[in-house]
Amino acid sequence: MKFFVDTADTEEIRDLAATGLVDGVTTNPSLVAKSGRKFLDVVQEICGIVDGPVSAEVTATDHETMLKEGKKLAGLAPNIAVKVPLTPDGLKTCKALSDAGTMVNVTLCFSPGQAILAAKAGATFISPFVGRLDDISTDGMQLIADICQIYNQYEQFETEVLVASIRHPIHLTEAAKMGADVATLPPGVLRQLYKHPLTDAGLAAFLADWEKTGQSILDD
Ligand code: G3P
């Protein structure tokens, strides 16, 4: 399973990239706005921090302008994945960019039918938003299960399932059980994955017992 970090905060990306566990980054207009920085600058900086795919979203809604924006974004760096919304114009743009060899992340997916359209449009990634479905009392993880089941039926569907809108570690582990290809994690959720009270207690006990031996690995 690939881990992407879901943020436009370059300091967070640098910090988490140092773990060696970050395979890419996803951004969206809201995350870019939150960064307070110029979109093209922050995306270009992110592309220099990680080698993996960096999703940068178009903001036009008509195909002609989406395509122009997508080509400009793709020209920023070789690891750009152009993000387009799951709309008729978005998928038309996805097809054109994908046919030209550009990575495309189709976002704002909320149904299995939408995911089938994205795969047929040649999407590199499909981003189903599990958290936003949970937020309206709909089972977001059921969408992931349905998409994985459908995609597994057709060899020609090469689109990777990129689980997005993740709210907590259980979304991640459940997605992994289903065989999702990628999870894009808010920085805080990635950090939560490390934590368990028994790990902390066990380490403290090991170190306390080691202290009693008076030994040192490096000095002995
Ligand atoms: O990548 C999509 C993700 O940023 C959306 O998450 O929390 O706004 O639903 P959220």
Side-chain angles (χ1 to χ4, degrees), residues 48-159:
I49 299 171
V50 299
D51 296 331
V54 175
S55 291
E57 189 162 342
V58 299
T59 55
T61 53
D62 67 289
H63 168 59
E64 184 182 355
T65 316
M66 280 171 148
L67 192 55
K68 286 177 183 170
E69 289 183 347
K71 286 176 178 175
K72 182 168 184 178
L73 292 174
L76 292 175
N79 54 330
I80 284 280
V82 176
K83 230 181 187 183
V84 296
L86 213 153
T87 62
D89 283 72
L91 292 190
K92 195 174 176 184
T93 305
C94 172
K95 186 85 174 66
L97 290 171
S98 175
D99 287 349
T102 297
M103 285 191 287
V104 182
N105 179 358
V106 175
T107 190
L108 289 167
C109 172
F110 294 97
S111 76
Q114 285 182 320
I116 294 171
L117 290 172
K120 287 181 67 66
T124 311
F125 304 106
I126 182 68
S127 291
F129 280 27
V130 297
R132 294 193 189 186
L133 286 168
D134 285 4
D135 291 347
I136 61 166
S137 305
T138 303
D139 184 354
M141 293 316 298
Q142 185 57 52
L143 174 58
I144 303 303
D146 292 346
I147 295 172
C148 289
Q149 181 186 0
I150 291 168
Y151 280 15
N152 288 338
Q153 307 306 314
Y154 301 94
E155 276 187 19
Q156 71 266 39
F157 283 178
E158 296 178 349
T159 302

Side-chain angles (χ1 to χ4, degrees), residues 6 26 28 31 83 129 132 164-165 167 184:
D6 193 35
T26 54
N28 62 43
L31 292 172
K83 230 181 187 183
F129 280 27
R132 294 193 189 186
S165 187
R167 296 276 193 275
T184 191

